[in-house]
Amino acid sequence: MKATTQGTLWAVSSVVFGSWLPLLYLFTHVSDDPFVWRSWSFVFQTVLLAPVILLVPASDKDWRKKAKRLLFYWGDDGEPVRVRKPLEVLRTPAFWMVICFPLDLAVWVWAATLIDPLVVNTIFQLFVIGMVWMAARLGKKMSAGRRNSPHVISGKYWALMVLSFFGAALVIWSETGEVGSLNWFGVVLSLAGAATAVGTFWGSISTGHLMGWPGGNSHDLVWNATFAAAAGRILALPLALLGSAVFFPPTENSFEINWAMLGLLSLLGVSNAAGGLGYRYSLYVTSSLSVQRIMFFNPAFQMLWIWAFADVSIANPQALLLGTGIVLLSNLGSQTQTKDPL
C-alpha cells in the first residue's frame, strides 16, 4: 500500500473516532468552570493513552531516555539541541505543549458561553491549517538541505486546504442562520483556542521527532508522540487547576463525579486516544501533508452525532450538504507527495 494511501486511511480513522469529542464535551461539561472540566479530562485521557503506549509496536520504548528528550529543541541547523540555560526551555516544543494543553479546549468552552458556539467552532477549525503550517515549517527546518523533509505540501494543496476550511465552516453554519451574540472577548478566546490547539498537536508531533532523532519508523514516532502527549497532560494538570482557581473560584455549581459521568469521561478518553492515534499515524506514515484535508470532514460527522444523540435539529440542511460537498470535492484530488515544500 502506498504511503499516502496509508496516511489517508489513518486520517479517516482519526475523523471517525475523534469526531465524537464535541458530543462528549457537551455531556461532560456540566459546571461553570471549564478548567476543572479540563483537569478531569486530562486524567481520563492520560489513563486511556496508556494502552496505546503499550500496544503500538515500537522498537524503542525506553521511556527514561525519551523523557530526557523533552528538554531538547530544534537548533538552527535542524538538529536537536539540549537545553543548557533556563531561558532555552522556551524553545522546546514540550514546553509550549504543556502551556497550551490547559488552554486549548478550556478557552474553547469558555468562548462558547460568551458568543454563538457556531462562531467558536468555525474559528476553531483554523487549527487544522495552523497545524499543517507548523508541520511544513518543521519539515523544512529538519531537511536543512541534507535530508528529505518529513512533512511536505505544495501551493496547490494549500489552496485545497483553505477550500476545505470554507466547506467545514458551511457545515458548522448549517445548524442555524443567525448569530445571537458576538463580542470581541469571545472572539479572542476562540482564536486563542485554535492557536493553543495547534500548540498541543505540534508540540507532541515535533517532540516525537526529537525523541526519535535521527531516524525512526512510523511506529516509533507514533509511540514517541503518544508518550509526549501523555507526559504533557500530566505536567499541564497543575496549570489547569491554577486556571480554575484564578478565573473561576469555587461555586455551588461544581463539577460532580458520578457513575454516568465516569462512563462519559471514559468514552471521551477512548475517543481522544483513538482519534489521536490515527492523526499521528497520518502524519508519520507519509510526508504528504495534503492528506490532512480529510480532517475537515470532522464537522460533518460531529453534526451527525450531535443530531442523532443530542436532539439538535439542522436548521439549514442546504448549507450542510453544500459544505460537505465542498470538503468532499477538495479531497477528490490525488493525495500525492510533492517536491516543493513551502
Side-chain angles (χ1 to χ4, degrees):
M1 185 182 295
K2 293 182 179 179
T4 49
T5 302
Q6 293 182 50
T8 299
L9 293 176
W10 278 112
V12 169
S13 73
S14 176
V15 168
V16 171
F17 288 104
S19 59
W20 289 90
L21 289 174
L23 178 68
L24 295 169
Y25 298 155
L26 179 66
F27 288 151
T28 57
H29 178 62
V30 295
S31 74
D32 295 328
D33 185 346
F35 288 99
V36 73
W37 165 81
R38 190 65 174 126
S39 301
W40 277 108
S41 72
F42 279 159
V43 173
F44 283 83
Q45 288 175 347
T46 302
V47 169
L48 271 300
L49 284 173
V52 176
I53 294 174
L54 293 174
L55 294 175
V56 171
S59 59
D60 182 6
K61 294 186 178 182
D62 187 345
W63 65 270
R64 291 183 179 83
K65 181 180 70 175
K66 304 294 185 180
K68 294 178 181 178
R69 286 275 171 162
L70 293 171
L71 293 177
F72 278 69
Y73 63 90
W74 297 106
D76 295 333
D77 59 352
E79 296 194 7
V81 178
R82 195 182 193 286
V83 168
R84 299 188 181 278
K85 301 177 182 178
L87 286 179
E88 289 183 344
V89 173
L90 299 178
R91 300 183 64 180
T92 62
F95 172 82
W96 292 106
M97 175 179 60
V98 170
I99 294 297
C100 291
F101 259 131
L103 297 173
D104 53 4
L105 296 177
V107 296
W108 180 90
V109 171
W110 189 357
T113 65
L114 300 174
I115 62 176
D116 196 296
L118 301 178
V119 177
V120 180
N121 270 326
T122 302
I123 295 175
F124 195 77
Q125 293 299 320
L126 288 170
F127 93 88
V128 179
I129 296 178
M131 178 61 202
V132 170
W133 182 75
M134 291 297 295
R137 280 178 55 85
L138 172 65
K140 187 173 183 180
K141 173 174 283 191
M142 287 180 64
S143 63
R146 295 182 289 110
R147 305 178 185 85
N148 292 327
S149 174
H151 303 300
V152 187
I153 189 168
S154 69
K156 169 188 173 183
Y157 291 113
W158 271 122
L160 290 172
M161 183 76 63
V162 174
L163 181 63
S164 294
F165 166 74
F166 282 110
L170 270 177
V171 169
I172 295 167
W173 205 259
S174 68
E175 185 181 340
T176 181
E178 300 178 358
V179 175
S181 59
L182 185 65
N183 65 61
W184 284 110
F185 185 56
V187 172
V188 170
L189 285 176
S190 302
L191 290 170
T196 50
V198 173
T200 56
F201 278 103
W202 170 77
S204 63
I205 297 300
S206 184
T207 304
H209 280 296
L210 283 168
M211 290 179 176
W213 185 264
N217 57 35
S218 60
H219 295 310
D220 290 328
L221 292 171
V222 166
W223 190 93
N224 295 342
T226 304
F227 174 77
R233 284 175 168 85
I234 294 171
L235 295 172
L237 181 58
L239 294 178
L241 295 174
L242 178 63
S244 175
V246 172
F247 295 106
F248 296 90
T251 63
E252 293 182 1
N253 187 19
S254 59
F255 192 90
E256 296 182 359
I257 290 291
N258 51 41
W259 286 111
M261 186 61 66
L262 284 173
L264 289 169
L265 286 170
S266 298
L267 288 175
L268 188 150
V270 171
S271 177
N272 171 81
L277 181 70
Y279 192 86
R280 294 180 188 107
Y281 267 113
S282 73
L283 281 170
Y284 287 142
V285 298
T286 174
S287 63
S288 175
L289 287 171
S290 65
V291 301
Q292 296 304 309
R293 301 197 305 277
I294 291 170
M295 300 305 296
F296 286 107
F297 276 112
N298 252 318
F301 279 93
Q302 290 167 9
M303 283 291 188
L304 176 62
W305 309 143
I306 291 174
W307 172 75
F309 298 101
D311 194 25
V312 173
S313 61
I314 304 300
N316 295 303
Q318 298 88 351
L320 175 62
L321 293 174
L322 179 60
T324 304
I326 290 174
V327 177
L328 177 62
L329 287 173
S330 69
N331 277 279
L332 288 180
S334 58
Q335 305 278 10
T336 58
Q337 178 174 334
T338 181
K339 296 181 180 180
D340 51 336
L342 297 180

